[in-house]
């Protein structure tokens, strides 16, 4: 178990605030950035990574998108397209889901 900088998983202030507000409980990244049991703090609140799963973009659902602060999967795709230059959705692209829970 390691203590992470919150920016390792949550790349911007908006997502960190959404985690504090309970709106973001997971994030998919292009590679693994944490292990189960790792923790991170945001403004004195501790979170624990409770699951790390390898998936593909095609496995994502509306529920996954909502857990990352988007309205639905289509909105999530739009967010990715704005955030990453030349991003193209490919159902076969491998990603890693990091789920976390608030501890305190």
């Amino acid at each position: 178990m390691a203590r992470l900088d919150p920016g390792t998983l949550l790349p911007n202030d908006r997502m960190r605030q959404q985690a504090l507000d309970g709106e973001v409980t997971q994030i998919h990244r292009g590679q693994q950035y944490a292990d189960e049991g790792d923790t991170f703090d945001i403004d004195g609140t501790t979170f624990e990574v409770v699951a790390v799963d390898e998936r593909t973009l095609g496995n994502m659902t509306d529920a996954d998108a909502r857990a990352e602060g988007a309205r639905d999967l289509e909105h999530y795709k739009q967010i990715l397209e704005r955030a990453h230059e030349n991003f193209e959705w490919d159902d076969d692209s491998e990603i890693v889901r990091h789920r976390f829970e608030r501890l305190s």
Side-chain angles (χ1 to χ4, degrees):
M1 293 188 302
R3 185 169 285 295
L4 306 171
D5 179 290
T8 301
L9 284 181
L10 303 170
N12 59 56
D13 290 336
R14 179 186 57 79
M15 288 197 82
R16 290 188 283 277
Q17 185 60 52
Q18 287 177 302
L20 281 172
D21 295 341
E23 298 169 7
V24 170
T25 58
Q26 70 181 30
I27 187 164
H28 287 80
R29 302 294 303 265
Q31 63 190 39
Q32 185 172 338
Y33 284 88
D35 293 309
E36 289 181 26
D38 288 352
T39 60
F40 59 94
D41 294 320
I42 303 172
D43 295 340
T45 300
T46 302
F47 294 84
E48 179 180 1
V49 177
V50 295
V52 178
D53 311 289
E54 293 183 9
R55 308 178 76 202
T56 64
L57 283 174
N59 294 129
M60 289 194 66
T61 65
D62 283 334
D64 287 314
R66 285 190 296 275
E68 293 195 35
R71 290 185 304 272
D72 55 26
L73 191 56
E74 188 57 38
H75 181 230
Y76 181 79
K77 290 177 182 180
Q78 292 170 4
I79 291 169
L80 288 180
E81 289 169 356
R82 282 193 310 266
H84 303 285
E85 190 174 318
N86 300 320
F87 176 81
E88 192 170 312
W89 187 275
D90 177 355
D91 282 347
D92 295 326
S93 291
E94 294 180 355
I95 53 176
V96 179
R97 175 176 55 188
H98 302 79
R99 287 190 311 114
F100 51 87
E101 294 177 355
R102 182 186 204 126
L103 294 180
S104 61

